């Protein structure tokens, strides 16, 4: 099974920036979509942004202009650059990926364990 490991979560002051990373490992044939979701206490998990292998991106409206998703296909890694953070961005951020894995070629979709982002003064 393809595993995802996130890093980069931290405590940051309002207006600050953070960069999250998520690396996929395993017998990976190809990764289609990679993305980030978040879940705040007492709320449902919500989309932050996704990016396909070819590059097209999709953002939640509240993140447009502040967050930027990117990926390095050679490293099977996705990044999330977060700027102008506000307390409402406080949440556990989860990495997501889907695609094809081996050795017997099959479709996978995986989630990371999550990384905590706290925006507070």
């Amino acid at each position: 099974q393809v595993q995802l490991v996130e890093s980069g979560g931290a405590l940051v002051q309002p207006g600050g920036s953070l960069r999250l990373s998520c690396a996929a490992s395993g017998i990976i044939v190809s990764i289609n979509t990679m993305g980030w979701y978040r879940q705040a206490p007492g709320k449902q998990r919500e989309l932050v942004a996704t990016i396909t292998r070819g590059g097209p991106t999709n953002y939640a409206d509240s993140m447009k202009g502040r967050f930027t998703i990117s990926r390095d296909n050679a490293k099977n890694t996705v990044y999330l650059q977060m700027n102008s953070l506000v307390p409402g961005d406080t949440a556990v951020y989860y990495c997501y990926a889907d695609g094809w894995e081996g050795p017997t070629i099959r479709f996978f979709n995986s989630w990371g364990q999550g990384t905590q982002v706290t925006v507070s003064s």
Side-chain angles (χ1 to χ4, degrees):
Q1 177 73 341
V2 174
Q3 295 186 331
L4 305 177
V5 178
E6 304 105 332
S7 61
L11 170 64
V12 63
Q13 292 187 342
S17 297
L18 277 178
R19 188 190 194 212
L20 305 183
S21 300
C22 171
S25 63
I27 305 175
I28 298 170
V29 176
S30 67
I31 300 178
N32 297 338
T33 299
M34 301 188 83
W36 293 93
Y37 291 73
R38 71 184 187 184
Q39 188 167 17
K43 295 186 178 181
Q44 291 187 334
R45 190 172 298 189
E46 63 175 351
L47 169 72
V48 175
T50 60
I51 183 169
T52 64
R53 183 174 183 81
T57 58
N58 179 48
Y59 292 90
D61 287 343
S62 62
M63 284 61 147
K64 289 180 181 177
R66 299 191 301 124
F67 293 5
T68 302
I69 190 170
S70 60
R71 65 188 279 178
D72 184 332
N73 291 328
K75 296 181 178 180
N76 292 322
T77 299
V78 63
Y79 307 96
L80 184 68
Q81 178 66 43
M82 304 185 292
N83 299 326
S84 302
L85 286 162
V86 298
D89 294 318
T90 296
V92 178
Y93 284 70
Y94 295 92
C95 178
Y96 169 84
D98 64 45
W100 300 93
E101 64 176 343
T104 301
I105 306 301
R106 63 179 183 179
F107 187 78
F108 77 90
N109 61 78
S110 297
W111 291 90
Q113 295 288 337
T115 185
Q116 177 70 46
V117 172
T118 302
V119 183
S120 175
S121 55

